Amino acid sequence: MADVLIADDSEFMRNLLREILEEDHNIVGEVENGVEAVEVFKEEQPDLVMMDIVMPIRDGIEATDEIKNTAPEANVIMCTSVGQEEKMKEAVKAGADGYITKPFQKPSVMEAIQDVVPS
Amino acid sequence: MKIDVQSLGTFNQLAHEGAEQATRSMAQMTGIDAEVDVTKISLVDRADIGEELGDSEFVGVQFEFEGALSGDTVLVFDRDSTDEIVNALMPGAAEDPSMAQSSVEEIGNIMMSGFIDGWADYLGAGIEHTPPEYIERSGADVLPEAPDTGETDQVFVFRSEIEWLDQSVNFFIYMLPEYEPMTEMMSEHAAAGDDAIPIEKLEAFNRMTRKGTEKAAENVEMMAGIETEAEVSQISFAPIEDVPKQVGNDTYVGTVVEFTGAPSGYLLVLFDETSAINVAEALMPMETDGDGLTDQHKAAIEELGNIMTSGFVDGWANVLQQTVEHTPPRLVHDMGRAIIDPLAAQLGQHQQHAFIIDSKMKTDEVAFESTIHALPNEEELREALDELLVERAEETEADAEQIF
C-alpha cells in the first residue's frame, strides 16, 4: 500500500482518483494546484504523486520539477488531459516517471502505478 | 492556390449585401420586417452541409447559376412561416396550394436575383441563373447535392441567416459554388504576400479539426459511457461582430479556456442544459443532491470540458510539433451570445474578421448534444497554417508509452 498525494484542480477528478485508489493505497492529501502539491509533498513525503498538468497558480510540470529537484527519489505520475507530444517530453525532462491521459479507466491507472511503485 | 483574409472578407461582404438586398425585396413585397442576422463562409465536409437545419420542414426555391461563378443557390423558409409569407404577398393565397407554390417561386425569384446580381456586379461579368425550382423537404435534404470537388471532400459554402423580427422563424440563403471556379476566383483575388493561405493547408487544418472532434467524442464516450459521434466540423470566416450571433440565444452550460501557442485564442465547450445534466449524471457514480443543475453536475461538466478541450487541441499541437497551452477551464452558464461576446470583443481589439472553428457531437442514446467553438487569433492561425506540413496532418496522436 503506497502513500499517494493527489494534485488536481478538479474536485470531480480528485474524487474519481480517490475512489479508484483508496482501496489499495493510502491517500495522504488532495491539493488543487502546483504550489500546494510541493508543500504537501514536503510535509507528507508520499511514495507517489498523481499530478495534473493544467492547474492554476503553478502547473504540474513546474511542481514536478521542484519535487524532483528536492527529492530525486520521489515518484510522480502525470495524470492529465493533455496528450501533446511536446508536453510529454517536458514532463520527462521535469522528471516524471509515468504519464496517464484522461479519461482513464481504473486498470490503466493501477498498471501505471504498478510500473512506478511496484507492490 | 491561395486565399487571403482580405478577399475572404470581401466575399463575405458580398454574400452579406446580397442577402440584405434579398431581404429588402421581401420586405417591400410582403411588409415583413426582417434583417440579415449573420453571413459566413465555411469550408465544410460535403456530407455535413446543412446539418444545422436539423429535421425541420422547409419550403423554398433553388437555382442553378453559371457564368463568372457557377453552382447552386437556395432560399428556404421554415415550413411554419410559409403561409404567413404567402398571405402577406397575396391575401388568401395560402389556401390554394398552386397559388401558394407560385407565390413562393416568385418571391424566391425576386429575392435571389438581388442576391446573385451583387456578385455579378463585383466580378464585372454576367451570372445567369435558371428559373426557380420549387422545393419542399426536411432538413439538409432541402439543399442541392454538394458540387463536385474533384480530389477534396470539402467545399466552400456561403450561408446567410435572415431573422424575421419579433418571430421565432428564420430564413436561410445557401450558395454552393463549384469548387474549382470558386477557389480559382479566391486565388485570383488574393493579395500577393504573407497574408495568403494555401487552400490545401486550410483543408488539412479542417481535417485535423475533424479528428480533434472525434477524439473529444471518444473522450465523452469513455468517461460517460454514452456512445457519441462527431457530427460536423467546419472552419468558417465572418466579421468579428457577427461571431456571437453564431451561437444564438439559447442557454448553455460549459467551459471556456484561453489557449496560447500556435495559435492562441479561446475555446468553448457547450452543452444545452438537458444535455449537461444527462452527461454529468452519466459521469457521476453517486446520486446528486437537489434538482436541476447542481454544483456536482457543474464540477463534472468542468472536468469533461477540460478533457474535451485537450482532445480537441492536442492534435493541432502534435501535427505542428509545438505545444498549445490552455488555462484551467472556467465554467459558464448563460445565453450563448453572452458567453461568446466578451471573447469576440477581446479578439476584436486586434482583428476585424475571425476564423471560427465549429464542431458538433451528439448521440441517439440519450438527449445529448455538445458543440465546440474555437476562436483563434487570426494572424497566429495564418502563421500556424504557414508552418503546417500537409503530409503531417494525420499525426494528431502522441504515444506516451513511447516517450516514457
Side-chain angles (χ1 to χ4, degrees):
Chain A
M1 183 176 271
D3 287 347
V4 182
L5 168 63
I6 298 171
D8 197 307
D9 59 324
S10 163
E11 185 189 354
F12 174 82
M13 196 48 74
R14 293 196 302 272
N15 288 344
L16 195 65
L17 271 173
R18 191 193 327 116
E19 281 189 17
I20 288 175
L21 298 177
E22 67 189 357
E23 197 177 316
D24 301 299
H25 300 286
N26 180 35
I27 310 297
V28 296
E30 292 180 25
V31 297
E32 50 191 78
N33 62 58
V35 171
E36 289 175 3
V38 174
E39 283 171 6
V40 177
F41 176 83
K42 286 174 180 169
E43 286 164 17
E44 299 291 337
Q45 297 288 314
D47 302 309
L48 173 66
V49 184
M50 300 297 284
M51 183 82 83
D52 187 16
I53 288 184
V54 181
M55 292 189 287
I57 305 174
R58 190 173 202 192
D59 74 29
I61 289 183
E62 286 176 1
T64 300
D65 194 41
E66 182 168 346
I67 287 171
K68 283 289 194 171
N69 276 331
T70 54
E73 73 289 357
N75 296 301
V76 182
I77 294 177
M78 310 312 290
C79 187
T80 174
S81 60
V82 180
Q84 300 176 24
E85 191 173 330
E86 295 300 315
K87 207 46 120 174
M88 292 171 186
K89 289 177 183 168
E90 280 180 30
V92 169
K93 210 171 154 191
D97 301 279
Y99 200 103
I100 307 169
T101 47
K102 302 171 187 173
F104 46 70
Q105 304 286 357
K106 182 173 180 177
S108 61
V109 177
M110 301 312 279
E111 194 183 319
I113 293 176
Q114 182 63 27
D115 286 348
V116 174
V117 194
S119 50
Chain B
M1 279 187 285
K2 292 186 170 186
I3 51 176
D4 74 333
V5 167
Q6 201 178 340
S7 56
L8 275 174
T10 304
F11 294 136
N12 191 83
Q13 182 65 17
L14 271 175
H16 190 77
E17 285 173 6
E20 282 184 333
Q21 178 58 42
T23 306
R24 277 195 297 274
S25 300
M26 184 187 71
Q28 216 172 0
M29 293 167 73
T30 61
I32 288 172
D33 203 6
E35 65 178 29
V36 182
D37 197 31
V38 61
T39 300
K40 63 180 179 183
I41 307 172
S42 300
L43 182 62
V44 59
D45 195 290
R46 296 174 90 237
D48 293 341
I49 297 172
E51 200 279 339
E52 63 278 4
L53 296 173
D55 298 324
S56 303
E57 296 291 321
F58 292 98
V59 170
V61 286
Q62 176 183 334
F63 304 83
E64 283 175 38
F65 58 90
E66 60 179 17
L69 202 60
S70 49
D72 290 286
T73 184
V74 174
L75 164 75
V76 289
F77 306 107
D78 196 299
R79 165 83 255 185
D80 296 337
S81 63
T82 310
D83 285 356
E84 200 159 343
I85 293 163
V86 166
N87 280 333
L89 196 64
M90 187 183 291
E95 304 302 314
D96 177 349
S98 164
M99 187 59 75
Q101 180 173 329
S102 176
S103 302
V104 169
E105 283 171 352
E106 190 48 29
I107 195 169
N109 191 30
I110 292 169
M111 287 175 72
M112 295 311 287
S113 291
F115 181 79
I116 290 170
D117 289 351
W119 286 86
D121 290 345
Y122 174 75
L123 296 169
I127 300 178
E128 305 289 335
H129 66 81
T130 60
E133 182 196 339
Y134 180 80
I135 41 175
E136 199 174 325
R137 292 181 202 127
S138 64
D141 289 342
V142 79
L143 301 179
E145 199 174 318
D148 184 19
T149 50
E151 287 179 5
T152 177
D153 53 0
Q154 297 175 46
V155 287
F156 282 101
V157 177
F158 292 77
R159 176 179 174 273
S160 289
E161 188 169 344
I162 301 161
E163 189 181 21
W164 185 346
L165 300 178
D166 305 323
Q167 302 281 336
S168 60
V169 289
N170 289 337
F171 320 139
F172 301 94
I173 293 173
Y174 283 83
M175 185 171 84
L176 288 77
E178 284 180 12
Y179 186 80
E180 284 291 330
M182 185 70 217
T183 50
E184 276 169 21
M185 190 180 78
M186 286 177 159
S187 203
E188 279 166 22
H189 284 77
D194 296 341
D195 277 3
I197 302 164
I199 291 174
E200 68 271 17
K201 292 199 174 188
L202 205 56
E203 288 172 357
F205 187 74
N206 223 6
R207 286 199 298 276
M208 286 157 61
T209 301
R210 159 70 74 172
K211 291 194 89 167
T213 313
E214 285 167 2
K215 182 70 186 172
E218 265 175 41
N219 288 349
V220 173
E221 195 169 325
M222 197 165 159
M223 282 181 83
I226 298 173
E227 199 176 318
T228 309
E229 279 184 35
E231 286 276 313
V232 188
S233 100
Q234 63 183 15
I235 183 161
S236 303
F237 183 81
I240 197 89
E241 63 269 22
D242 282 355
V243 170
K245 297 176 187 171
Q246 316 265 344
V247 189
N249 282 327
D250 293 338
T251 299
Y252 293 97
V253 183
T255 54
V256 173
V257 301
E258 182 174 359
F259 56 93
T260 51
S264 66
Y266 299 96
L267 194 134
L268 300 90
V269 177
L270 301 178
F271 307 87
D272 60 80
E273 286 178 314
T274 306
S275 295
I277 292 172
N278 283 343
V279 73
E281 303 228 317
L283 287 170
M284 293 185 297
M286 71 298 239
E287 292 281 313
T288 56
D289 307 327
D291 296 327
L293 195 70
T294 64
D295 287 345
Q296 291 160 295
H297 289 130
K298 288 180 179 174
I301 288 292
E302 199 168 53
E303 185 53 21
L304 182 63
N306 184 38
I307 291 171
M308 288 171 72
T309 298
S310 290
F312 196 77
V313 299
D314 286 349
W316 301 355
N318 288 331
V319 170
L320 294 164
Q321 295 175 288
Q322 297 186 22
T323 54
V324 178
E325 311 273 351
H326 67 82
T327 57
R330 177 169 60 84
L331 191 87
V332 288
H333 185 189
D334 208 334
M335 280 198 309
R337 286 187 188 191
I339 294 170
I340 205 166
D341 199 45
L343 311 180
Q346 281 288 327
L347 284 180
Q349 292 177 7
H350 312 288
Q351 62 193 67
Q352 291 182 315
H353 290 86
F355 285 102
I356 309 126
I357 298 148
D358 296 310
S359 289
K360 185 174 173 183
M361 60 192 72
K362 62 191 285 193
T363 178
D364 294 329
E365 231 174 270
V366 292
F368 170 74
E369 195 174 291
S370 173
T371 52
I372 300 175
H373 307 274
L375 287 173
N377 175 291
E378 175 235 301
E379 193 180 334
E380 289 171 3
L381 178 64
R382 271 193 282 117
E383 287 167 3
L385 289 173
D386 202 43
E387 297 288 318
L388 173 66
L389 300 172
V390 173
E391 61 273 20
R392 272 192 59 83
E394 302 299 314
E395 315 276 326
T396 53
E397 297 266 356
D399 185 356
E401 277 180 26
Q402 230 174 27
I403 295 167
F404 279 82

